[in-house]
């Protein structure tokens, strides 16, 4: 029982939601305790609002990075407060400043997660300051210092927490990475099931969609590590975490690998159990990944009992048995037909054994890895000039960030006009709802506003019940602190619960100040109004429909795969080395693939009238992910036995590189042609000219006989490419004579 309690405590203290909620609990409890001790109950609400706004700017970072971000956030908060003080007496001037602030701050989202959070928190504080000012400069002058004090207090708690406990966020992200990697291994194992009438295409699609989650987890873990990397030698725990991250990257490349069409393997070994043994090894590796995830969170050793090593021994014995059968067929007609699947089976077995070896050392430190390149690529802006260049690059009609900023600004103008027209004293909740639910994508906005409406209704019911059941001020204050902790702990994972918690918090806060009369109905109506405005804007104001982005996203996939292939070929010349250049090429290819799958998922939630040809999109996604699997197999084989390359292989690889780059260029041209006039159908002659350059069916790269593992993998890519090219043609063709 004691061990169970200890493991639960370890999981809780390393869980990001729990630690975020604990920070909020400490900050809010201290504010309420001070307010009660000093007799400042009337001043508590502005301080609490400042704490909330500051907590909304928090991202995973080191204490130094958090300190810099907090100082920047306080500067932005001060600027917003000054803008409210200067314009609060003139509502229409305040409305204009709010719209301009939304336009400018939203564009900062192009700089990265840290700046998106600061921009979001600054807009929220602007609305909080306007709400607390009560249309007078005197009210603004009184509330603003209290809000800034609350924001500074939470910033101090956050920085101190990051200094005292820097490891928990890294452990949480690594644990989540191995958890989603374990699910990817399970899904990959399903492809190896040698039975008739299996829908492999559906299983490949599920694998491609889940790959997006794996890539997101890899990126989150990388950013967590990157933020804690100093200029000197990193501490031992950080080196171990880096080793685990690089091991996960290696596993991802290996499990993404495909050495043959799985239906061909199923046909060739239908009367053997060898594929079931491959499937068992993959399944056990998936379970091992989940156990490793748990071990990272609990800071313990994973429990596995040697089942994987025995399964690999059984697999190797089954492969040796197939070798014996093939030897008996030498000189017969069946020998030639078995050569290709048997070679692929050997490559698959070698890859599974290598993957198991990576897992076996994943919890070890990095000290034994002499010469391993642990450098990570930092995607944050390096200077003010770099930051301005990134923002300026978004100033075009096709930019999702510019579209979102314009959409949000116009939504806030509409909400402010409604507030003024109805003389609603609580009308700022309309603006808060718009800020919280508006997202760059239509699908994300619709999901968020439904969650917001549901959470608000639940929170109002909970708040009313708490006021009726617990009339004591001290108990209500305790519930307020608990609601704040739940809000910040759940807002990234369970938004309905988070919205219910913050609604309860605000209702209890207003009741403590004696201002709860009419709040419940006003909150409900204002939330509904804000959701309706945000929903209408996501449909009518510069909608970012996914079907219009697919030619560009598809071109990025092909271009990054070409660069990945080039990096792999360089490794075949120079020898295997996981340096930054190679890892960056591999990660960019998977990032582009993840962007494609995430876009497809969002497209399915959009109105049918704007989805375009969903079947073609699905086919392109499945084929491009399959092609990436074949390239990953080339990457996994580098440095292994049989990883040789002759002149014919180089010629085939060069042809593939050229074909991928040319198809990417044609898709880019199609995107530019269709986007020449934003929101309107492209000129038909321009699109037709682009389509003609594809050719009737596309020229496939040469298919040489498979002389080596490299030749076999290049031949597999060469067979997928014409199908991918045909889907690309249909992707940019206007269905029924019109552009999508």
């Amino acid at each position: 029982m004691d061990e169970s309690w200890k493991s639960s405590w370890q999981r809780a203290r390393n869980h990001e939601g729990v630690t975020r909620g604990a920070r909020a609990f400490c900050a809010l409890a201290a504010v309420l305790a001070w307010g009660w001790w000093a007799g400042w109950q009337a001043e508590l609400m502005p301080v609490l609002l400042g704490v909330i706004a500051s907590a909304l700017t928090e991202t995973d970072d080191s204490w130094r990075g958090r300190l810099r971000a907090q100082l920047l956030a306080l500067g932005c908060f001060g600027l917003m407060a000054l803008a409210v003080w200067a314009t609060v007496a003139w509502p229409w001037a305040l409305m204009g400043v709010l719209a301009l602030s939304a336009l400018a701050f939203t564009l900062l989202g192009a700089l990265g997660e840290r700046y998106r959070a600061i921009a979001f928190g600054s807009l929220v504080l602007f609305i909080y300051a306007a709400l607390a000012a009560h249309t007078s400069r005197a009210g603004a002058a009184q509330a603003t210092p209290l809000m800034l004090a609350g924001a500074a207090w939470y910033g101090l708690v956050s920085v101190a927490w990051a200094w005292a406990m820097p490891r928990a966020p890294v452990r949480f992200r690594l644990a989540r990475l191995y958890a989603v990697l374990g699910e990817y291994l399970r899904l990959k194992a399903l492809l190896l099931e040698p039975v008739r009438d299996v829908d492999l295409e559906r299983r490949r699609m599920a694998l491609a969609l889940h790959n997006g989650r794996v890539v997101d987890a890899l990126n989150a873990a990388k950013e967590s590590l990157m933020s804690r990397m100093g200029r000197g030698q990193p501490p031992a725990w950080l080196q171990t975490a880096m080793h685990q991250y690089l091991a996960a990257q290696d596993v991802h490349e290996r499990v993404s690998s495909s050495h043959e069409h799985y239906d061909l393997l199923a046909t060739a070994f239908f009367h053997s159990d060898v594929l079931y043994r491959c499937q068992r090894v993959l399944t056990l590796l998936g379970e091992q990944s989940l156990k490793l995830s748990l071990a990272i969170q609990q800071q313990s050793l994973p429990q596995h009992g040697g089942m994987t090593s025995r399964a690999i021994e059984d697999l190797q014995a089954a492969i040796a048995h197939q070798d014996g059968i093939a030897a008996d067929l030498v000189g017969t007609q069946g020998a030639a037909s078995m050569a290709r699947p048997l070679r692929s089976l050997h490559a698959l077995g070698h890859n599974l054994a290598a993957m198991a070896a990576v897992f076996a050392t994943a919890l070890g430190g990095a000290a034994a890895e002499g010469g391993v390149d642990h450098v990570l690529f930092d995607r944050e802006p390096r200077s003010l000039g770099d930051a301005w260049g990134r923002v300026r690059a978004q100033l075009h009609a096709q930019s999702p960030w510019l579209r979102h900023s314009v959409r949000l600004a116009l939504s806030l103008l509409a909400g402010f006009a409604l507030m003024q027209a109805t003389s609603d004293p609580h009308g700022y909740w309309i603006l808060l709802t718009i800020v919280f639910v508006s997202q760059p994508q239509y699908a994300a906005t619709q999901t968020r506003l439904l969650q917001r409406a549901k959470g608000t209704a639940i929170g109002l019911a909970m708040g009313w019940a708490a006021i009726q059941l617990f009339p004591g001020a001290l108990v209500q204050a305790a519930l307020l602190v608990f609601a704040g902790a739940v809000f910040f702990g759940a807002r990234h994972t369970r938004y309905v619960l988070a919205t219910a918690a913050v609604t309860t918090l605000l209702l209890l806060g207003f009741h403590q100040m004696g201002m709860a009369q009419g709040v419940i109905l006003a909150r409900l109506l204002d939330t509904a109004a804000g959701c309706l405005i945000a929903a209408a804007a996501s449909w009518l104001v510069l909608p970012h429909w996914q079907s219009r982005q697919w030619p560009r996203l598809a071109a990025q996939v092909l271009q990054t795969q070409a660069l990945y292939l080039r990096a792999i070929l360089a490794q075949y010349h120079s020898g295997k080395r996981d340096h930054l250049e190679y890892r960056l090429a591999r990660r960019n290819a998977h990032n582009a693939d993840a962007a494609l799958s995430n876009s497809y998922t969002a497209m399915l939630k959009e109105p049918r009238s704007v989805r375009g040809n969903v079947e073609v999109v699905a086919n392109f996604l499945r084929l491009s992910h399959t092609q990436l699997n074949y390239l990953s197999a080339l990457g996994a084989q580098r440095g292994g036995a049989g990883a040789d390359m002759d002149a014919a292989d180089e010629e085939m690889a060069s042809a593939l590189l050229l074909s991928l780059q040319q198809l990417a260029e044609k898709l880019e041209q199609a995107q530019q042609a269709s986007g020449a006039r934003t929101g309107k159908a492209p000129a038909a002659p321009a699109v037709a000219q682009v389509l003609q350059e594809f050719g009737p069916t596309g020229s496939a790269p040469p298919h040489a006989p498979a002389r080596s593992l490299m030749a076999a993998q290049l031949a597999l890519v060469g067979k997928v490419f014409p199908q991918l090219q045909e889907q690309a043609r249909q992707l940019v063709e206007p269905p029924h004579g019109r552009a999508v």
Side-chain angles (χ1 to χ4, degrees), residues 174 178 181 237 239-251 288-289 291-293 295-296 300-302 304 354-366 369:
L174 285 172
Y178 276 98
L181 200 55
W237 73 268
Q239 293 184 47
T240 299
M242 176 64 73
H243 170 72
Q244 291 165 356
Y245 168 73
L246 294 178
Q249 274 201 335
D250 194 1
V251 170
Q288 195 169 336
S289 184
K291 291 176 181 177
L292 184 56
S293 169
I296 291 173
S300 61
L301 293 176
H304 49 79
M355 204 185 309
V358 174
F359 272 119
T361 60
L363 273 183
E369 298 180 273

Side-chain angles (χ1 to χ4, degrees), residues 188-208:
K188 188 62 179 283
L190 295 177
L191 293 177
L192 290 172
E193 195 170 19
V195 296
R196 295 185 177 94
D197 301 325
V198 172
D199 190 354
L200 284 177
E201 305 307 326
R202 181 178 60 82
R203 294 185 179 184
R204 278 196 175 278
M205 177 58 75
L207 195 68

Side-chain angles (χ1 to χ4, degrees), residues 414-663:
F416 199 99
L418 177 62
M419 181 182 73
Q420 292 297 312
T422 57
S423 300
D424 184 358
H426 301 291
Y428 284 101
W429 283 341
I430 299 175
L431 306 183
L432 283 173
T433 299
I434 292 171
V435 170
F436 273 94
V437 304
S438 296
Q439 304 293 316
Q441 291 183 351
Y442 170 88
T445 300
Q446 300 303 309
T447 300
R448 183 58 60 89
L449 65 88
L450 291 175
Q451 292 172 336
R452 182 81 177 181
K454 184 178 179 180
T456 298
I458 295 173
L460 290 173
M462 291 172 57
W464 176 85
I467 291 172
Q468 300 302 315
L469 293 173
F470 306 103
L474 186 60
V475 177
Q476 289 185 12
L479 291 175
L480 188 152
V481 171
F482 178 74
V486 172
F487 168 64
F488 287 106
R491 74 185 186 95
H492 288 299
T493 53
R494 303 179 65 182
Y495 193 72
V496 173
L497 175 61
T499 302
V502 76
T503 302
T504 303
L505 181 154
L506 291 174
L507 193 59
L508 290 172
F510 277 106
H511 186 265
Q512 294 268 305
M513 297 169 61
M515 300 169 57
Q517 187 68 29
V519 166
I520 293 180
L521 182 60
R523 175 79 172 183
L524 195 61
L525 293 176
D526 290 341
T527 298
C531 287
L532 288 174
I533 291 172
S538 67
W539 172 268
L540 299 173
V541 182
L542 299 176
H544 193 66
W545 304 126
Q546 296 304 308
S547 60
R548 295 175 182 170
Q549 316 310 315
W550 259 72
R552 176 181 56 83
L553 293 174
Q556 288 178 355
V557 163
L558 296 169
Q559 186 64 40
T560 54
Q561 287 185 8
L563 295 175
Y564 182 29
L565 176 57
R566 180 172 294 168
I568 292 171
L569 295 176
Q571 296 263 312
Y572 274 80
H573 284 293
S574 61
K576 179 179 179 179
R577 187 180 168 210
D578 281 336
H579 51 58
L580 177 61
E581 184 180 356
Y582 176 80
R583 287 188 282 111
L584 186 59
R586 178 175 63 191
R587 189 57 30 216
N588 286 340
H590 280 284
N591 282 340
D593 182 79
L596 208 61
S597 65
N598 293 338
S599 176
Y600 174 74
T601 302
M603 179 189 293
L604 295 181
K605 298 178 183 179
E606 293 179 347
R608 291 182 180 274
S609 60
V610 298
R611 289 183 193 172
N613 196 330
V614 177
E615 183 179 356
V616 171
V617 166
N619 289 337
F620 188 95
L621 172 60
R622 177 178 49 79
L623 289 168
S624 66
H625 186 70
T626 300
Q627 183 168 269
L628 180 58
N629 292 161
Y630 293 147
L631 293 176
S632 295
L634 273 176
Q637 290 166 187
R638 60 200 163 93
D644 52 348
M645 181 169 60
D646 56 22
D649 293 340
E650 288 206 46
E651 183 181 355
M652 185 186 297
S654 299
L656 279 171
L657 273 172
L658 182 61
S659 298
L660 288 168
Q661 291 171 339
Q662 287 180 342
L663 184 55

